[in-house]
């Protein structure tokens, strides 16, 4: 059975997940891949507050994502 995926923005602080799928235009895909967010990458949600960038920790790096970027990043639980 395949695990359910959800948008990264739906997770709460402290939750850990794995990037399952990335969607979007070429410019977005280039930026996300360049900062190291690729399918299979493990991520921890550091801060997820309404109307603020989503702060995540992945590959020994803190990354801030705006809400538009979060709409195109789909994750699964670890």
């Amino acid at each position: 059975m395949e695990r359910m995926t959800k948008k990264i923005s739906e997770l709460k602080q402290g939750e850990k997940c794995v990037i399952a799928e990335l969607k979007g235009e070429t410019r977005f895909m280039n930026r996300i891949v360049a900062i190291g967010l690729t399918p299979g990458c493990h991520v921890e949600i550091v801060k997820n507050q309404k109307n603020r960038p989503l702060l995540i920790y992945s590959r020994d790096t803190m990354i801030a994502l705006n809400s538009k970027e979060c709409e195109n990043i789909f994750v699964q639980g670890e």
Side-chain angles (χ1 to χ4, degrees):
M1 186 168 111
E2 193 174 312
R3 289 193 211 173
M4 278 186 40
T5 62
K6 52 175 119 176
K7 293 177 186 173
I8 196 167
S9 58
E10 297 175 37
L11 301 180
K12 295 182 173 89
Q13 183 173 325
E15 285 192 76
K16 295 181 179 180
C17 59
V18 176
I19 304 284
E21 183 178 6
L22 300 169
K23 295 181 180 179
E25 61 191 35
T26 304
R27 185 174 173 187
F28 166 77
M29 296 295 282
N30 289 339
R31 173 177 139 53
I32 292 300
V33 171
I35 61 176
L37 294 181
T38 56
C41 177
H42 293 262
V43 173
E44 181 177 353
I45 307 303
V46 175
K47 193 175 277 190
N48 188 1
Q49 296 177 330
K50 200 171 196 166
N51 299 322
R52 295 280 197 182
L54 176 70
L55 189 59
I56 64 172
Y57 183 76
S58 179
R59 299 184 191 250
D60 297 326
T61 304
M62 286 286 197
I63 302 166
L65 301 168
N66 66 40
S67 58
K68 186 176 179 182
E69 293 170 327
C70 293
E71 295 296 309
N72 296 315
I73 301 173
F74 297 86
V75 298
Q76 298 175 332
E78 276 193 322

